[in-house]
Every structure is written in C-alpha cells, then in structure tokens.
Amino acid sequence: MLNPMYSRHAAEYATAIRDNSYNAYYERPSLCALLPELQGKRVIDLGCGPGEYAAYLASKGATVTAVDSSAEMISLVQQKPGKNINAYKHDLAQGVPDEADQSFDLAVSPLMIHYLADLTPLFRDVKRILKPAGLFVFSTHHPFVDYQFSPSGNYFLTEKIVDEWDTIGSPVRVEYYRRSLSTLMQALTDAGLCVVEMSEGKPDEQMQQSDPESYHKLSTAPGFLFVKCRVM
C-alpha cells in the first residue's frame, strides 16, 4: 500500500516527525524503552521511513539494515551520516525473502504493520531471520482507537480505513488497515513469536510544555500499541 505521505510528501514528513508530538515525544521514546542493548547487534528496521530509527540504532553501535517500500524514504535514509546503515527498497507485504535465516539479533518496525493487509508473510520472515534469542519490537495503531473509524462497526473484522492526516501541516489522504487485538496476537503466535512485553506508551515530559493538549490526551488514553516479542 503506497501512501502519498511517504512518497510525494516524503521530505516534508521527514521534517515533521523529527520533533513533533506523536512521533518524537510519544512513539519513539515508548518504543525505545522496549529495546535491548544495541552495541554490536545486527538490527533490521522494517518500514524505516526517513531513517530516524536507523540513525538512532547505528549511533548506539548497531549495524542496521533499513527496508521500506518507498524509494523516496530510502533515498532519505541513504543521506544519513554513518557507515553502519544499509538501506534498500522492498514491499514488506512480501516479507523479507532476501535476508538470511537467523541473521539478526533484533527486528524493529515502527508504525508500519497497519499498512499491511496480511501480516503473515512479514511475521513469518521475522521469525525466520531472527537468531534463537532474537527480539521483534514494533509499534502500531491501538486497535481500540482505530475501532472508532470502522466502516462496518464490527470490531473483529480487518478493514481498510481511508483517512486524512495533517502530519505535514496540511491534510493528506492516508490508507491503512485496522484489526482486532486478538487478530494481531494470533498472527504473532501463528508465526512462532511470543509476546514478552506490551505497552500502550507514555508521552515524554517535554510534550507537557510543547503540546499540553496532546500530552493530556496521551496520558489519559492510549494512542499506539508497543509490543516486544521473542522467537518461540
């Protein structure tokens, strides 16, 4: 699924998420809180976007493979400083067939899996490419939040949602999929991945000054879901 936010507006998106409320002060600190020690680890960044995570992971001593379906995003990643980041374009709906078995210590996927209609190919490949003690850490839309946009009113269906987001300062059409929490958990189990930690996130205290309305909202209601899995 290609969205113009991540192609035509890639540069504006990269600038916006660098220090905005939901990405910089809620999603990234919440996901990073679930990450293990990174020094010397091989990490794959699935849905790398403009490379905020890739740069962070590399700065902590990891060797990073960054993958995204958007050529524009990969171009932005390739402009990041540092020699420990290899980035390439690939449709993650097909998994990562070119990566070797048991070759990574960690897989991360920030706010990407809700763009996939079927989680099976990616989750199976994540399990395959992780070492026996490997971890998969990802964030996604909270199922209970997305339910309010359900066209059918049936929480248990997996459905495409068409919405508009003003992430870059003007409305941009975005398409993604909503699914139930049980559907997500079953997809992980079927792939041979075991959930070892789950969080609904916590906004950084800096947001209390920069965006008090969002800080209050995210302190009293969930926005995203953060999950850490281990190979079963």
Side-chain angles (χ1 to χ4, degrees):
M1 177 181 290
L2 292 177
N3 282 297
M5 181 85 79
Y6 312 123
S7 53
R8 188 185 321 142
H9 302 292
E12 298 100 307
Y13 176 80
T15 299
I17 68 166
R18 201 167 295 146
D19 60 358
N20 67 354
S21 294
Y22 273 73
N23 295 93
Y25 296 129
Y26 173 54
E27 194 278 334
R28 286 203 292 275
S30 297
L31 188 143
C32 286
L34 298 180
L35 296 180
E37 169 62 40
L38 295 166
Q39 180 65 44
K41 300 295 177 62
R42 288 201 70 216
V43 183
I44 187 165
D45 182 358
L46 302 165
C48 61
E52 289 296 322
Y53 273 98
Y56 171 80
L57 295 164
S59 75
K60 297 297 183 181
T63 298
V64 183
T65 297
V67 189
D68 201 280
S69 63
S70 164
E72 292 83 358
M73 290 298 182
I74 293 301
S75 178
L76 291 171
V77 177
Q78 290 170 339
Q79 297 171 31
K80 296 285 184 183
K83 299 180 180 179
N84 291 335
I85 303 173
N86 171 50
Y88 67 92
K89 178 182 180 297
H90 177 71
D91 181 4
L92 289 165
Q94 303 170 9
V96 280
D98 294 337
E99 299 298 338
D101 293 0
Q102 298 187 9
S103 54
F104 290 96
D105 301 288
L106 171 69
V108 299
S109 186
L111 296 179
M112 187 281 294
I113 66 167
H114 43 263
Y115 297 113
L116 304 180
D118 182 6
L119 300 175
T120 301
L122 181 65
F123 282 7
R124 284 182 177 169
D125 266 0
V126 167
K127 195 264 185 181
R128 177 183 62 79
I129 66 175
L130 284 177
K131 296 176 182 178
L135 295 172
F136 177 34
V137 180
F138 67 90
S139 59
T140 188
H141 291 179
H142 198 293
F144 300 160
V145 175
D146 275 358
Y147 175 49
Q148 66 185 301
F149 304 113
S150 168
S152 71
N154 184 343
Y155 169 75
F156 295 103
L157 290 181
T158 296
E159 303 173 301
K160 180 188 284 188
I161 305 295
V162 179
D163 200 358
E164 283 192 339
W165 297 347
D166 62 357
T167 306
I168 63 171
S170 58
V172 176
R173 176 188 170 98
V174 179
E175 297 181 3
Y176 59 93
Y177 293 93
R178 59 156 295 273
R179 50 179 51 88
S180 69
L181 180 60
S182 57
T183 299
L184 174 59
M185 294 298 111
Q186 190 63 53
L188 291 167
T189 300
D190 289 347
L193 296 163
C194 177
V195 175
V196 294
E197 192 171 351
M198 188 165 64
S199 162
E200 289 165 301
K202 182 180 180 181
D204 190 280
E205 290 299 322
Q206 293 182 66
M207 198 199 299
Q208 192 167 12
Q209 301 300 320
S210 62
D211 187 354
E213 183 177 350
S214 293
Y215 179 84
H216 175 74
K217 180 179 180 180
L218 293 170
S219 297
T220 56
F224 302 144
L225 189 67
F226 304 86
V227 182
K228 179 195 286 188
C229 304
R230 192 181 302 276
V231 174
M232 292 173 63

